[in-house]
Amino acid sequence: MAEPTLTPEACLKRIAQQDRAAFETLYKLISSKLLGVVLRIIPQRSLAEDVLHDTFLKIWRAAHQFDPNRASAMSWAATIARNAAIDHKRRRKEIDLPDEVLNFQMEKDSHSNQPRGDEATRLTLQHCLSKLEETQRQCVVLAYCQGLSREELSEQLDAPVNTVKTWIRRGLLSLRECVSQ
Amino acid sequence: MTDNATEEFHDDLRAVAGEYVLDTLSVRERTAFEALLAKDTSVMSLVEDWKHILAPVLQSAPEEQPDASVWLRVNETLELSASEQKSDSNRTVVDLDKLRRSRNRWRGLSAGLVSLAAGLAAFVVIDGSLLQPPSVVPDRLAVLTTDTAGLQFIATVDPARQGIHIRPLKQDGQGDPFAEGPLELWVQVGDALSYLGNVTSASWQWLNYADILKTEEFDQAVLLLARPQEQGAISPTAPGEIVFQGQISSRAR
């Protein structure tokens, strides 16, 4: 029986030793969040669930590479999910973009076991993103969360590609400056 | 360089590193940046910095409960993989032996292919018509061949981006390697086989290995292009018929 009290970090440590119960616990802890990450990039639910399946197999195989000093388990796994979704999207050459304009809400994470540093980083990022101009913020968040290219951002935001490039650049530099303060 | 110019240069570099993590750079910009990454470790710290800054954005995604079938499929795949490794070990050994025997037949060609590979790498660099990546002579590359001479694939390992660039080297009169559908790229390290992704394109294609293998493991690896054992499988557990294969050659450093 999987232990319900394990943190995602502890799960990954055990998964690196091929512990299937810990893998199941990790799945219960983070699969909903990872599916949310994937759905932003691949809105079709059945395809997104295929990518989620693929993501967990990658997590199983790569758990030994997780370094808790560099990132939280959630961040590490979410990055694997994002990369898997973007790779999948490119392979299928999907160009349908979701209609929604991202309303970035940094919700409180449901995992109380998240390391403190991660929570602080997130709050800082939330604050700094809110300071960006709307177009800059949309470019950064849509590119990162939905895997949009400059051309796709240009289409979605109805602006020339060069303008989008400028928005991304200015947005990133403002973000970097704010985060480092 | 004046202080302002230096500051502007660092801002540019920082912004490009950010775009690299966002994945919004064009192919040309990405290739140029990766060449810089390979040369300058301080640039890698900019990339790591951006990964750390942006990672929490992903956690803002609303939670969506996956269908129960997803876990069942994940579990089934692992069960299948485990049972293949344990109870079906005979078949695995036979398959791997078959691969080894098959590879030995190619081994005679290998020495020649290493020279050919070096030439091809230079060709790739010089001949712009073969598209952009890789822009620098790669440290590790493989030429994947068939039993019969003819169509070959070239694959290079990109340590900066932790991916493999692969494309067929097509000559006049040779058939379409994808006529019967996509090919699966597998990597064999020792007795372990890992699936890297589907190859579907006659131009350069990039497949990520970051979550599967470490770059150094490619030094002893063999790349295999196989027909899918099961059509449409997202995470195949074993290759079908091996169509092309080639040993990775490492450039002396």
Side-chain angles (χ1 to χ4, degrees):
Chain A
M1 175 65 79
E3 294 175 43
T5 52
L6 282 178
T7 63
E9 284 74 15
C11 287
L12 282 172
K13 195 173 173 185
R14 292 192 184 189
I15 294 167
Q17 310 297 320
Q18 308 284 292
D19 184 333
R20 292 281 289 275
F23 188 51
E24 185 173 356
T25 301
L26 184 73
Y27 184 88
K28 287 176 181 164
L29 286 173
I30 69 171
S31 59
S32 302
K33 181 61 80 178
L34 295 193
L35 182 59
V37 169
V38 174
L39 277 167
R40 279 178 167 176
I41 298 166
I42 300 173
Q44 299 94 326
R45 196 174 177 94
S46 62
L47 293 178
E49 288 185 338
D50 283 347
V51 171
L52 183 68
H53 165 268
D54 206 21
T55 298
F56 271 94
L57 293 181
K58 286 183 175 179
I59 289 173
W60 172 259
R61 292 196 295 258
H64 64 282
Q65 291 176 10
F66 170 66
D67 179 356
N69 297 318
R70 292 175 67 184
S72 71
M74 189 64 228
S75 292
W76 181 80
T79 304
I80 290 178
R82 172 190 181 257
N83 292 344
I86 288 176
D87 284 349
H88 182 85
K89 180 181 168 184
R90 286 182 180 161
R91 278 203 300 273
R92 295 179 62 90
K93 293 189 167 49
E94 286 171 7
I95 53 170
D96 327 330
L97 303 178
D99 294 332
E100 70 194 57
V101 173
L102 187 67
N103 181 19
F104 185 74
Q105 293 285 336
M106 297 294 275
E107 61 183 38
K108 180 96 178 141
D109 194 84
S110 57
H111 302 303
S112 56
N113 293 321
Q114 203 70 246
R116 253 189 211 175
D118 210 44
E119 179 67 14
T121 307
R122 192 166 23 175
L123 289 172
T124 304
L125 182 63
Q126 177 184 8
H127 166 75
C128 291
L129 280 168
S130 71
K131 297 281 179 193
L132 296 184
E133 287 179 16
E134 180 68 9
T135 48
Q136 295 174 3
R137 185 167 63 88
Q138 284 183 327
C139 282
V140 172
V141 175
L142 287 170
Y144 198 63
C145 293
Q146 297 186 1
L148 300 196
S149 64
R150 285 174 186 159
E151 290 71 22
E152 288 169 330
L153 286 167
S154 159
E155 194 179 320
Q156 179 130 334
L157 302 176
D158 196 20
V161 173
N162 279 338
T163 305
V164 166
K165 278 175 72 170
T166 306
W167 286 342
I168 294 173
R169 185 182 187 281
R170 287 183 183 161
L172 285 171
L173 290 177
S174 302
L175 188 62
R176 183 70 188 78
E177 190 180 346
C178 174
V179 166
S180 62
Q181 278 172 359
Chain B
M1 222 188 278
T2 65
D3 285 351
N4 278 347
T6 306
E7 196 173 323
E8 199 171 320
F9 171 77
H10 284 298
D11 277 352
D12 279 341
L13 195 57
R14 199 169 283 133
V16 175
E19 279 214 72
Y20 180 75
V21 174
L22 285 183
D23 219 352
T24 52
L25 293 175
S26 68
V27 174
R28 184 180 293 273
E29 290 166 334
R30 174 172 285 279
T31 306
F33 184 73
E34 283 171 354
L36 189 60
L37 260 181
K39 276 188 263 175
D40 187 346
T41 51
S42 68
V43 181
M44 181 53 86
S45 69
L46 292 178
V47 170
E48 291 300 325
D49 198 25
W50 276 114
K51 283 184 182 171
H52 182 69
I53 289 171
L54 291 169
V57 178
L58 295 176
Q59 293 178 47
S60 69
E63 295 197 4
E64 290 282 346
Q65 191 64 38
D67 189 271
S69 65
V70 178
W71 170 249
L72 293 177
R73 279 195 291 141
V74 170
N75 217 17
E76 273 173 17
T77 308
L78 290 183
E79 290 291 343
L80 184 64
S81 176
S83 67
E84 278 185 354
Q85 281 173 8
K86 291 176 187 170
S87 62
D88 205 16
S89 59
N90 285 344
R91 189 175 71 80
T92 308
V93 169
V94 168
D95 284 350
L96 288 170
D97 278 351
K98 188 179 163 191
L99 281 178
R100 284 194 197 98
R101 282 199 304 276
S102 174
R103 204 163 71 229
N104 285 338
R105 271 186 286 142
W106 270 287
R107 202 150 274 164
L109 289 174
S110 293
L113 284 176
V114 170
S115 316
L116 172 63
L120 285 171
F123 179 59
V124 169
V125 174
I126 294 163
D127 188 345
S129 68
L130 283 182
L131 300 183
Q132 293 89 346
S135 65
V136 293
V137 177
D139 286 336
R140 298 173 184 85
L141 63 79
V143 178
L144 286 76
T145 61
T146 61
D147 251 339
T148 55
L151 185 63
Q152 297 169 333
F153 279 76
I154 184 166
T156 66
V157 180
D158 179 348
R161 204 176 161 203
Q162 293 192 286
I164 287 188
H165 296 288
I166 184 165
R167 65 162 290 160
L169 291 166
K170 200 171 177 184
Q171 293 166 12
D172 289 343
Q174 288 175 342
D176 176 5
F178 310 112
E180 294 177 41
L183 295 169
E184 292 174 354
L185 183 63
W186 292 76
V187 58
Q188 187 190 352
V189 181
D191 284 350
L193 280 166
S194 303
Y195 168 71
L196 295 175
N198 278 3
V199 178
T200 56
S201 168
S203 55
W204 282 111
Q205 191 171 338
W206 183 84
L207 295 166
N208 177 285
Y209 65 75
D211 307 324
I212 300 168
L213 284 179
K214 292 180 178 169
T215 301
E216 306 76 61
E217 294 181 272
F218 281 96
D219 286 338
Q220 304 299 325
V222 174
L223 293 179
L224 309 166
L225 275 169
R227 302 244 181 261
Q229 194 171 59
E230 181 194 350
Q231 289 293 341
I234 293 281
S235 293
T237 52
E241 178 199 354
I242 309 292
V243 190
F244 298 89
Q245 64 175 304
Q247 172 94 42
I248 298 260
S249 300
S250 303
R251 187 158 63 103
R253 273 168 268 178

